[in-house]
Amino acid sequence: MSALPPEVLTWIYEQNPDIEDIEDFEDIDPDLDLFDTRLVNSLSLIEFVVVIERASGQVIDRRQLRTEDFQTLRTIQEKFFGGSTEADTAAASATVTEAG
């Protein structure tokens, strides 16, 4: 299974400069609800979709957007990047942390 591209996590970090206030965010839980934690909201969702489109190389039909597809890193991985593992997500998070 492929790793979640670092640019997806980078976008989350850039949109949330106070991210260090979230406990253990270096190891992003792949099941963390991005909307409940307000890391992604309805206003930023379209921009997030564009980031995912660029990273995945596919166009996401805006008419068929479902917030459930963007709820967690795991659902994003499964829907747009062909799978999910906690190790892959942790590796992508570490890459962002090192670059950040």
Side-chain angles (χ1 to χ4, degrees):
M1 292 186 199
S2 60
L4 190 64
E7 53 265 44
V8 174
L9 294 175
T10 298
W11 182 88
I12 292 172
Y13 281 98
E14 288 173 352
Q15 298 302 307
N16 298 281
D18 59 339
I19 211 159
E20 66 271 1
D21 293 340
I22 297 173
E23 187 176 320
D24 298 325
F25 211 84
E26 269 61 46
D27 298 319
I28 298 173
D29 180 349
D31 296 313
L32 178 71
D33 190 309
L34 300 175
F35 294 102
D36 283 351
T37 57
R38 299 179 193 243
L39 296 175
V40 177
N41 61 48
S42 59
L43 296 175
S44 65
L45 180 58
I46 296 300
E47 184 179 343
F48 193 40
V49 167
V50 171
V51 170
I52 292 169
E53 283 180 327
R54 289 181 181 154
S56 70
Q58 59 182 303
V59 175
I60 299 169
D61 185 350
R62 305 298 194 272
R63 296 169 296 175
Q64 295 186 10
L65 279 181
R66 296 179 30 221
T67 55
E68 300 86 44
D69 294 336
F70 305 91
Q71 202 79 35
T72 68
L73 295 179
R74 184 181 309 279
T75 57
I76 292 167
Q77 177 74 31
E78 291 170 354
K79 178 79 176 178
F80 304 105
F81 300 99
S84 175
T85 67
E86 289 187 33
D88 289 342
T89 302
S93 179
T95 302
V96 170
T97 302
E98 292 169 8

